[in-house]
Amino acid sequence: MATLSFKKNYRCVPFLQQFYEGGAFVVSSDASFIACACGDSIKIVDSDTAAIRSTVEGGESEVFTALALSPNDKLLFSAGHSRQIRVWDLSTMKCVRSWKGHDGPVMGMACHLSGGLLATAGADRKVLVWDVDGGFCTHYFTGHKGVVSSILFHPDPSKQLLFSGSEDGNVRVWDLMSKKCIATLGHESTVTSFAISEDGWTLLSAGRDKVVNVWNLHNYTCKKTVLTYEVLEAVLVIHSSSDFASCVGSFSKKREETSVSPAIYFITVGERGVVRLWSSDSAVCLFEQKSSDVSNKMDEGNRGFTAAVLLPSNRGLLCVTADQQFIFYSPVKTSKDEMSLITSKRLIGYNEEIVDLKFLGDDEQFIAVATNVEHIRVYDVASKSCSYILAGHTDIVLCLDSCVSSSGSTLIVTGSKDNNVRLWEAESKTCIGVGVGHMGAVGAVAFSKKRRDFFVSGSSDRTLKVWSFDGLSEDAKPNNLKAKAIVAAHDKDINSIAVAPNDSLVCSGSQDRTACVWRLPDLVSVVVLRGHKRGIWSVEFSPVDQCVVTASGDKTIKIWAISDGSCLKTFESHMSSVLRASFLTRGTQLVSCGADGSVMLWTVKTEERIAVYDQHEDKVWALAVGKKTEMLATGGSDAAVNLWYDSTALDKEEALRKEEEGVLKGQELENAVSDADYTKAIQIAFELRRPHRLYVLFSELCSKNDSDNHVGKSLGALGKEEFRLLFEYLREWNTKPKLCHVAQFVLFRAFSVLPPTEITEIKGIGELLEGLIPYSQRHFSRIDRLVRSSFLLDYTLTGMSVIQPENDANDKPPADIIMKTGTADIKLSNEHTDEQNQTHNEPEDKAPSKKRKSKSKSSSKKKAKSVAYTEVAAS
């Protein structure tokens, strides 16, 4: 057998992220991205992969209620409860201008086709039009008696019309030229959506009064009222360039003989959660989806579709559901020349809390995810799209497991709060079996590992049940599963179940702080594992040894021997409850996740923690391990799912490559130093991150003649990132007295080279300067004390006559002591000349004290007097 290679590192790739919590959204003109309101931010989401391109931060407690895009998709307009209208540049993700106009939240926005005007509809019953560049109001419309919820510019720029719909049931038409309301069109309830015909002379309005009104814009009269019998949220006109146009061609051929005027085909969506196609001519439904793709169980008043958009470039129809799903539909023609809708893509904006997940099939191309809803969502790993939904439970799904049956089909078993277990077939996307019998919520399920003809379930009723696949048929209706064995296993809720690799044992973990091992198929007790101080959240058998791993709320992971129930190893490092633990690398490693949001990698033999990952923001409830690649998937309370790929081999290759590059760069650095090319040497030292080498280079430059120019030239070739590193190194050097002189000199030259505006743009400059200033003040204080102390030394040495006093060159002996005697005159002149020479030989910058000079004057005078009197006496 080949030597096992331990996994030393995993790389995280975000798989599912929260990007939409309901409310405002807007689609780009080419349908390449969607801007979605998500809490206090706006997420720019790729419409193909659901990846978040960028995020616009709106500020704390800002809830966005309306969004709009400019026609060229370069500007994003937003408004929220703060009543502030902001304009964002999507290239820089910065707010370029903002203003405040409404007295209440803005409920709707629309940008003119020219991009120069922005219309806003507010809860204050006003409709305002703004100049985008100037930020000032150009039109101020009042007249609505309720909250204005929808607004639309006429798509033809030559027709300066603006349409607004309100909760008062009225549609008002505003003339932008005359700044007046030219028509009021009535509904019986809130108007939710508008659409303009392709010729621009017909308006369709939909409302919650369950009708679509067709209006003639020539005389503003109602041409037709179409009864839809459902609360409508969107109405869309099918244009000739749309991919729906080819599919409705068969309908138009059947009716063109009886039709007087060309019919307008339009789509409606609403509370029923189905897409319907209508003709304005006959006012009848031409097409209706057979079944809804929206969850069956929704709260009253929060169900079905909430919005819809016809996408350009034949990309189909986008419908948004009340549970934050973006469903993309594509029209196709059937063999009978009829239209049908297929779901091309499904993006989930918000998954709520991820409670469990599993890889599906041997190729592991799909992931089944259980969230705080009553159905299972199956995602494609490659496209990150929700491929299909398994709906059937009547309450929240708490757990799931998957396996590949002996026939090769992928099976999924789920347990729910409705006290039932369900068996699903992934290929047919249908439920093939239902197990009824538990008296509490089913919190744990596990498939057989070897025979794969049974599964075990555990419930809050504290019992274990073994369910057999016997008797399953291919009927359309689900079969009733039979329990082969049942046992009262624990004193509290059962949280986890695991089946041994040979199907001989099953282990259950409970909130009663124990894990029990049972012999299959009769569920006979083998051993009880006691030792945890809190409830057990996860259990799993080792793939090679006779042992079990358990994860508990007491922040520990334990490995137990099945033979005698003794604890073999204990792993401690989590800061909170450990919620999942699984074996890796044939039982030689462990991976765990906990309520502290961390994922940890362990070595079983040494009990060593190899790596810690902190990619989740909340509890990590779910952990799945791929059987072939041992790829990991984690999900938690932050509504995010992350995929983890083993990067041990890649990291090793990258380390070798960096080592080779480091050797080459190091040789290049030595060559530059030998050639006295300090500018190049300093740049290479920055690339290699060698602060000590940098200090040596700067020290050599400081010791050279004309050091200012040399250091300035080297600093001038650095970029912003290098300057940031330089300031970090200077901060460290400045703390050491032996290195501070070079640090201060380089710092002085850096401030001379960089202008203040560029210094402030360096990342983290404030923190760096806070570390530089105190030590710089300490160094200057030390030098100041040293200079002051030197004066005391001078005074002491002068008093000890060690230093020869200095005399002023202008000092002269008094005139009355200069005798006419030649000898005395000559002696005085020679002595005065010697004093002048001594004064000129002293350095100018020595700065002697004034007291010393005054003392020199008096002493020279006394000496001159004594010499003069001596000569006189001698004569």
Side-chain angles (χ1 to χ4, degrees), residues 15 44 68 129 149 205 256 262 282 350 382 432 528 605 691 805 843 866 873:
F15 181 65
I44 309 299
V129 182
S149 55
S205 61
E256 65 181 355
S282 57
Y350 184 59
I432 59 176
V528 179
K605 185 176 181 179
S866 63

Side-chain angles (χ1 to χ4, degrees), residues 213-455:
N213 287 335
V214 183
W215 306 91
N216 187 345
L217 294 183
H218 289 285
N219 52 14
Y220 301 105
T221 58
C222 183
K223 297 166 56 177
K224 185 86 66 176
T225 297
V226 181
L227 300 178
T228 61
Y229 301 103
E230 72 166 329
V231 174
L232 298 178
E233 298 294 337
V235 58
L236 308 167
V237 171
I238 298 176
H239 291 258
S240 58
S241 59
S242 172
D243 49 358
F244 280 87
S246 58
C247 295
V248 299
S250 57
F251 300 121
S252 60
K253 290 179 182 178
K254 295 177 183 178
R255 301 183 180 274
E256 65 181 355
E257 296 180 357
T258 59
S259 177
V260 178
S261 60
I264 299 173
Y265 297 97
F266 59 93
I267 294 172
T268 61
V269 297
E271 64 177 352
R272 292 172 55 184
V274 295
V275 178
R276 294 196 287 176
L277 191 147
W278 305 78
S279 171
S280 64
D281 183 23
S282 57
V284 296
C285 181
L286 305 179
F287 168 79
E288 181 177 350
Q289 272 184 304
K290 295 180 180 179
S291 61
S292 174
D293 291 320
V294 186
S295 174
N296 294 326
K297 184 180 178 182
M298 299 291 292
D299 297 333
E300 189 68 27
N302 184 28
R303 54 187 177 177
F305 292 127
T306 59
V309 178
L310 270 175
L311 303 178
S313 305
N314 295 330
R315 302 190 64 166
L317 173 69
L318 169 62
C319 294
V320 182
T321 68
D323 56 349
Q324 297 89 40
Q325 297 185 44
F326 289 81
I327 304 177
F328 294 77
Y329 291 108
S330 297
V332 293
K333 278 189 177 183
T334 62
S335 57
K336 298 180 181 180
D337 199 24
E338 295 180 353
M339 191 183 83
S340 177
L341 284 180
I342 61 171
T343 303
S344 59
K345 196 186 322 179
R346 187 193 301 258
L347 305 181
I348 310 297
Y350 184 59
N351 277 294
E352 299 189 32
E353 193 171 15
I354 309 296
V355 295
D356 204 359
L357 53 84
K358 287 291 185 296
F359 288 102
L360 301 184
D362 290 332
D363 51 3
E364 299 169 1
Q365 293 182 355
F366 297 92
I367 297 180
V369 180
T371 64
N372 277 347
V373 291
E374 63 279 359
H375 51 258
I376 299 294
R377 293 168 177 169
V378 179
Y379 291 88
D380 190 325
V381 173
S383 65
K384 300 182 181 179
S385 170
C386 182
S387 298
Y388 55 92
I389 288 177
L390 302 177
H393 283 288
T394 58
D395 209 333
I396 295 173
V397 178
L398 297 177
C399 56
L400 63 92
D401 196 11
S402 68
C403 76
V404 179
S405 66
S406 56
S407 62
S409 61
T410 300
L411 300 179
I412 304 172
V413 62
T414 57
S416 170
K417 276 189 175 181
D418 60 7
N419 304 346
N420 296 334
V421 292
R422 283 181 175 265
L423 185 64
W424 311 81
E425 189 176 37
E427 285 76 8
S428 61
K429 307 172 187 176
T430 57
C431 179
I432 59 176
V434 179
V436 181
H438 280 293
M439 302 303 294
V442 181
V445 290
F447 268 117
S448 162
K449 295 294 187 294
K450 187 177 181 180
R451 298 192 301 270
R452 301 173 183 176
D453 57 355
F454 70 90
F455 66 89

